[in-house]
Amino acid sequence: MINYVDPSGVHGLNVRTVAAGDSADPHMYAAYPSIDDAPRLNEKLLKTVKEQLDRFGRDASRDADLPHREFNIDWQLAAASDQVIGVRLRIGESVGAGWSESRTTVWYDRTDSRVLDSAALLKDRPALEELASIVRDRLAGPRRETSSRTVKADPGLFDSLGFNPRGDLVVEFDDNQVGAASLGRVAVAVPASEAEPLLSATGARAQRAALKTTSEPGSKLWKEFIAEAGTAKPPAASSQTGSVDCAKAKCVALTYDDGPGPDTGRLLDLLGADHARATFFSLGANASARPEPLKRMMREGHLVANHTWSHRDLTALTDNRITDQLNRAQYAITQTIGQVPALLRPPYGATDDRIASIAAGRGLAVVRWSADSRDLRTADPKVIAKRVVAEAKPGAIILMHDVYRPTVDATPEILRRLREKGYTFVTVPELYGSLGMLPGGTYNSGDSTGWNDLGGPKSSGDTQAPLQRPTTP
């Protein structure tokens, strides 16, 4: 196993996102890091992500009638030092025939500002041939379900190389390259003593960087993990809960998915200047990389909630993988804000009774939305603002994305125009007042019993029901 670096300690790191939108088919979501002082690395990662997205889009268009078409890229830091950075991209996709993953690791040598594919960790062609021979021998061992015959001295086959805490060279293969996808991740660890003669100068730097990231059981970090995991924490709530009675005020909940991103801080500035509160459904991976914006959200009266770890369609996952997506995000967010998220927004809004039941077991209410800004489908902030204002009603839960710059640019207009209509901006649970929100309940919009469909107070003759009551599995 590769021991990955905590991204929150890397100065100047942001998370970039490329997504098709929650209502798009097929589902496509990709995240990758950008680092301020490594522009060439950033360009390479963006190029790689776009190439993979384009390829999947072509494949998916040929199989438009197949179910569960989904594409997802998440990332980890294989190493990060003052000399070298390694970014591992995990690329998953499904077009009707089950989920498969590929892996590629891009390296950046800070000493000469070079971006390198993994094969460049080796010093020359003979070194690549020697590595291929070692890997073939190891794959030909007791794991008969793998095939060593497919291993050639091809740089494209050795596109995901890294190091474990012992300094062993780890060679990762894509699903179906040396064995069936049902095997899961297949990797070979070449002992450090055998690997060292094969390494280039960059490879040696990468190996040294990996040796510095050890987090074995018994270390301080591991002990803190165990201690924190057993410490009870209160459920997450806005520090201003109770300051607005949504049975009397015209309330609307602005919600933002997928962050925190590069523009989340600016969004918080805009919301703060207008004294508006919002609910942020944060991805666990992004929260782990950039914890400070989440702490600021809580200080300023917003609410932080769970949007899973890596933005997978939960309805396509097994129960244990759903649980992993929820638990990893719960832990990352809880460790950051000191409170336990009580709300879950499933990616793409995709949910069912099974997901609601698993969420209930973790104390999570499932939140969808009643108004979709469709912000990811346009680069024009005016269009985004117009859609939000047009769809806003008392009790509305409005879907937006804080990782998308045009959405942040649209925020001042959204706030101004909805204020003019008499709206107050609250977090999602405040829409329900004393009714509260039940773990496992599914919520699309808030209670609007005091308001008619035109956004004005009901007269005594109005009999309109609430926009949405919670449903339970």
Side-chain angles (χ1 to χ4, degrees), residues 406-436:
T407 302
V408 178
D409 293 339
T411 297
E413 182 74 359
I414 292 170
L415 297 175
R416 182 186 67 80
R417 292 178 63 183
L418 290 182
R419 286 284 191 201
E420 289 176 351
K421 291 177 174 287
Y423 283 99
T424 298
F425 304 101
V426 298
T427 61
V428 170
E430 295 175 88
L431 294 175
Y432 297 92
S434 60
L435 290 175

Side-chain angles (χ1 to χ4, degrees), residues 5-16 32-46 75-88 106-110 115 262 289-290:
V5 176
D6 179 0
S8 66
V10 178
H11 178 72
L13 184 145
N14 262 298
V15 181
R16 304 286 177 178
Y32 66 97
S34 69
I35 301 174
D36 289 347
D37 65 350
R40 292 182 179 177
L41 173 63
N42 303 337
E43 292 171 4
K44 171 67 172 179
L45 292 172
L46 176 58
W75 60 277
Q76 293 163 306
L77 294 181
S81 72
D82 58 355
Q83 293 188 328
V84 69
I85 301 170
V87 178
R88 176 185 184 261
V106 178
W107 291 89
Y108 180 69
D109 194 324
R110 291 179 182 269
V115 179
R290 297 196 64 220

Side-chain angles (χ1 to χ4, degrees), residues 207-224:
Q207 185 185 48
R208 289 194 296 270
L211 289 170
K212 295 179 181 178
T213 63
T214 302
S215 179
E216 298 288 348
S219 69
K220 181 179 180 182
L221 178 61
W222 184 262
K223 292 177 180 177
E224 289 176 351

Side-chain angles (χ1 to χ4, degrees), residues 48-199:
T48 301
V49 167
K50 285 189 172 181
E51 288 174 349
Q52 293 289 340
L53 280 166
D54 289 345
R55 177 195 53 76
F56 176 79
R58 291 191 298 271
D59 293 345
S61 65
R62 290 194 293 268
D63 299 302
D65 295 331
L66 293 175
H68 301 304
R69 297 185 303 157
E70 183 182 2
F71 180 89
N72 183 280
I73 295 181
D74 64 3
W75 60 277
Q76 293 163 306
L77 294 181
S81 72
D82 58 355
Q83 293 188 328
V84 69
I85 301 170
V87 178
R88 176 185 184 261
L89 300 177
R90 182 173 60 175
I91 303 149
E93 60 187 271
S94 173
V95 184
W99 187 256
S100 64
E101 290 184 352
S102 58
R103 303 153 191 89
T104 187
T105 303
V106 178
W107 291 89
Y108 180 69
D109 194 324
R110 291 179 182 269
T111 62
D112 53 12
S113 301
R114 285 191 303 151
V115 179
L116 305 166
D117 293 326
S118 279
L121 297 185
L122 306 173
K123 63 183 180 182
D124 50 26
R125 176 73 187 185
L128 177 60
E129 293 173 348
E130 176 65 18
L131 178 61
S133 176
I134 294 171
V135 170
R136 278 196 299 270
D137 289 344
R138 292 184 177 274
L139 287 175
R143 291 184 65 87
R144 300 299 181 185
E145 63 269 36
T146 60
S147 173
S148 61
R149 296 189 303 273
T150 59
V151 179
K152 310 293 183 184
D154 178 1
L157 189 67
F158 290 85
D159 65 340
S160 189
L161 302 182
F163 297 90
N164 67 21
R166 295 188 300 272
D168 303 336
L169 178 63
V170 179
V171 181
E172 296 186 298
F173 293 101
D174 300 342
D175 291 357
N176 298 310
Q177 279 188 326
V178 297
S182 59
L183 292 176
R185 173 182 177 269
V186 176
V188 173
V190 178
S193 59
E194 295 181 46
E196 285 171 0
L198 308 178
L199 299 179

Side-chain angles (χ1 to χ4, degrees), residues 29 36 134 193 286 296 306 336 398 419:
Y29 177 89
D36 289 347
I134 294 171
S193 59
N286 291 1
R296 181 180 170 190
N306 189 326
T336 297
I398 299 174
R419 286 284 191 201

Side-chain angles (χ1 to χ4, degrees), residues 290-374:
R290 297 196 64 220
E292 287 305 317
L294 273 68
K295 296 176 182 179
R296 181 180 170 190
M297 291 169 191
M298 296 304 295
R299 289 196 304 268
E300 297 180 2
H302 306 291
L303 182 64
V304 181
N306 189 326
H307 195 40
T308 73
W309 177 259
S310 61
H311 209 278
R312 286 292 314 277
D313 179 345
L314 298 180
T315 62
L317 301 181
T318 61
D319 287 3
N320 66 322
R321 291 188 180 275
I322 294 170
T323 299
D324 180 66
Q325 284 280 325
L326 303 190
N327 284 353
R328 291 182 69 188
Q330 282 289 87
Y331 179 79
I333 295 171
T334 299
Q335 294 302 95
T336 297
I337 66 174
Q339 297 179 354
V340 182
L343 307 180
L344 164 69
R345 172 164 286 163
Y348 312 107
T351 187
D352 54 27
D353 289 352
R354 182 172 61 105
I355 292 163
S357 178
I358 294 172
R362 278 139 195 84
L364 292 163
V366 179
V367 179
R368 297 185 75 254
W369 56 85
S370 59
D372 185 353
S373 67
R374 303 188 299 283

